[in-house]
Amino acid sequence: MLLSLKPHFFQIGAFFFLLAHLMYCGAFITTGISIKWFLMSIVVVGPAAIIVYKYVLPYTSGLMRKLVITYSIAISWMMAFASGSYGYSGKTWLLAAAFLFYVSDLFVARQRFIKRCFMNSLCGLTLYYAAQLMFAMSPAIDF
């Protein structure tokens, strides 16, 4: 749905992915959070989000612009909570999975708003599925 050319399908898909990011935030919180790591990651993720905003927002308007802003905030919070969780638990696997999920969304945004090309889909989907596999395997992995 996120790679759909029809705006309403994209918006519905983005809404459910937004919920997924928020659920991952909750999951990271339940593992415990290092406030130090959480705050340090905001220093990195915050400027990265601003760069993405400036790159993507000129290609959006109206409801889609609001959706992109809200979604960008959610994925940035997910990365911050993943970093905080890593700082608390030391689980590199979860931090890496969150990072892959974050980067996969950048490819989706590029595909949807900036330039449609096969490499966006290939990279975005590969990173997304790798991230989900890593999340699913994380209870069995202790690093």
Side-chain angles (χ1 to χ4, degrees):
M1 282 182 125
L2 278 181
L3 297 178
S4 174
L5 297 177
K6 297 183 179 179
H8 62 280
F9 284 133
F10 180 83
Q11 291 166 354
I12 292 167
F15 173 75
F16 283 107
F17 271 73
L18 172 70
L19 289 178
H21 285 297
L22 295 176
M23 294 298 113
Y24 278 123
C25 287
F28 293 134
I29 290 169
T30 64
T31 65
I33 298 291
S34 162
I35 298 299
K36 176 179 142 185
W37 277 86
F38 176 79
L39 294 174
M40 285 189 322
S41 69
I42 289 175
V43 171
V44 174
V45 174
I50 291 168
I51 291 167
V52 172
Y53 292 156
K54 291 186 179 212
Y55 185 62
V56 175
L57 284 185
Y59 299 93
T60 65
S61 63
L63 178 62
M64 197 64 80
R65 177 171 286 196
K66 291 175 186 171
L67 180 65
V68 168
I69 291 169
T70 304
Y71 194 87
S72 297
I73 291 168
I75 64 172
S76 298
W77 278 106
M78 184 203 65
M79 276 306 306
F81 281 114
S83 297
S85 178
Y86 166 75
Y88 181 83
S89 69
K91 293 193 174 217
T92 308
W93 195 261
L94 287 176
L95 181 60
F99 180 75
L100 293 179
F101 198 4
Y102 183 92
V103 174
S104 76
D105 282 344
L106 299 179
F107 281 102
V108 170
R110 188 170 187 270
Q111 175 73 11
R112 177 64 177 90
F113 299 111
I114 297 166
K115 181 179 180 180
R116 298 186 197 293
C117 69
F118 175 72
M119 287 307 291
N120 287 331
S121 297
L122 177 66
C123 293
L125 289 172
T126 301
L127 293 171
Y128 169 76
Y129 287 121
Q132 300 314 305
L133 181 62
M134 291 171 74
F135 281 135
M137 293 175 55
S138 66
I141 306 294
D142 197 29
F143 60 89

